[in-house]
């Protein structure tokens, strides 16, 4: 769900529209220009790095762990935007406002997207995980009463079957997976 945002709809859908011929030449050209500008800006913020000591001299409080941070990484920090980073790296001030806004949004979502990708990969690895027949869904933290009820009524045999129950969210599946994996019983299919 995190990837299906309004701010990146053109990046997700325009290539599909081009592929089926639903996007005109002018729109395709404008989109290609935006992508080129985004790629150049992403490279620019990724290539600008400073140590925590140097960043602190510029008024950017980061952990003094000795690990250099890029402008792209700094954008994920609350209160840090491209305008503030342009005081450190003046060339960042030349990035167009709409491109700067997209970079800032992407940076804010990056950590969540990485975690979601790890959760999805873990789910795919464990889709065949057998759920104990006598599993007490009420004992699993992080499940809403509605989801507990649906799982209790359906009594799915595997994690994959639980995923196909209407209303069972990805977060609920992660909670279920973590709970079942902590149990000492054999469970792999």
């Amino acid at each position: 769900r995190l990837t299906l945002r309004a701010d990146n709809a053109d990046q997700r859908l325009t290539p599909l529209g081009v592929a089926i011929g639903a996007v005109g030449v002018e729109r395709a050209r404008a989109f290609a220009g935006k992508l080129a500008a985004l790629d150049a800006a992403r490279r620019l913020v990724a290539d600008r790095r400073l140590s925590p000591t140097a960043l602190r001299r510029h008024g950017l409080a980061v952990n003094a762990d000795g690990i250099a941070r890029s402008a792209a990484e700094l954008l994920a920090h609350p209160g840090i935007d491209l305008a503030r980073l342009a005081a450190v790296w003046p060339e960042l001030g030349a990035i167009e406002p709409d491109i700067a806004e997209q970079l800032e949004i992407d940076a804010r979502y990056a950590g969540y997207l990485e975690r979601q990708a790890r959760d999805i990969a873990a789910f795919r690895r464990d889709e065949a995980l057998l759920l104990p027949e006598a599993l007490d869904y009420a004992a699993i933290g992080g499940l809403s009463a509605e989801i507990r009820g649906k799982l209790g009524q359906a009594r799915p045999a595997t994690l994959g079957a639980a995923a196909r129950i209407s209303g069972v969210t990805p977060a609920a599946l992660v909670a279920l997976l973590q709970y079942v994996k902590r149990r000492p019983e054999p469970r792999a299919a």
Side-chain angles (χ1 to χ4, degrees), residues 25 44 48 62 67 88 99 112 114 137 143-144 150 158 170 186:
V25 173
L44 193 64
R48 301 311 181 259
V62 297
I67 299 171
V88 179
I99 301 299
Y112 299 109
E114 289 170 12
Y137 293 101
L143 297 182
S144 69
K150 287 182 177 193
T158 65

Side-chain angles (χ1 to χ4, degrees), residues 31 54 59 68 74 108:
F31 177 69
L74 293 169
R108 301 279 189 278

Side-chain angles (χ1 to χ4, degrees), residues 92-103:
L92 299 181
I95 296 173
E96 293 294 323
D98 61 324
I99 301 299
E101 181 181 21
Q102 187 66 59
L103 290 177

Side-chain angles (χ1 to χ4, degrees), residues 33-141:
K34 179 181 178 179
L35 278 187
L38 256 174
D39 288 342
R42 285 181 177 133
R43 282 192 305 277
L44 193 64
V45 296
D47 292 345
R48 301 311 181 259
R49 302 183 79 73
L50 284 177
S51 69
T53 304
L55 290 169
R56 285 176 179 264
R57 273 184 263 155
H58 287 284
L60 297 170
V62 297
N63 289 340
D65 54 11
I67 299 171
R69 287 171 179 75
S70 70
E73 292 167 322
L74 293 169
L75 282 174
H77 291 241
I80 297 180
D81 59 10
L82 268 176
R84 185 150 182 220
L85 293 179
V88 179
W89 294 284
E91 61 272 27
L92 299 181
I95 296 173
E96 293 294 323
D98 61 324
I99 301 299
E101 181 181 21
Q102 187 66 59
L103 290 177
E104 291 168 358
I105 292 168
D106 289 348
R108 301 279 189 278
Y109 277 101
Y112 299 109
L113 290 167
E114 289 170 12
R115 188 175 83 207
Q116 185 180 58
R118 285 191 306 271
D119 289 347
I120 289 168
F123 171 74
R124 289 199 173 126
R125 278 192 311 272
D126 296 315
E127 191 171 15
L129 180 77
L130 292 176
L131 301 177
E133 287 182 37
L135 183 59
D136 179 10
Y137 293 101
I140 303 172

Side-chain angles (χ1 to χ4, degrees), residues 122-123 126 129 159 172-182:
F123 171 74
D126 296 315
L129 180 77
L159 191 64
L173 292 171
V174 170
L176 179 59
L177 172 65
Q178 290 171 343
Y179 181 83
V180 172
K181 282 199 161 199
R182 284 192 301 254

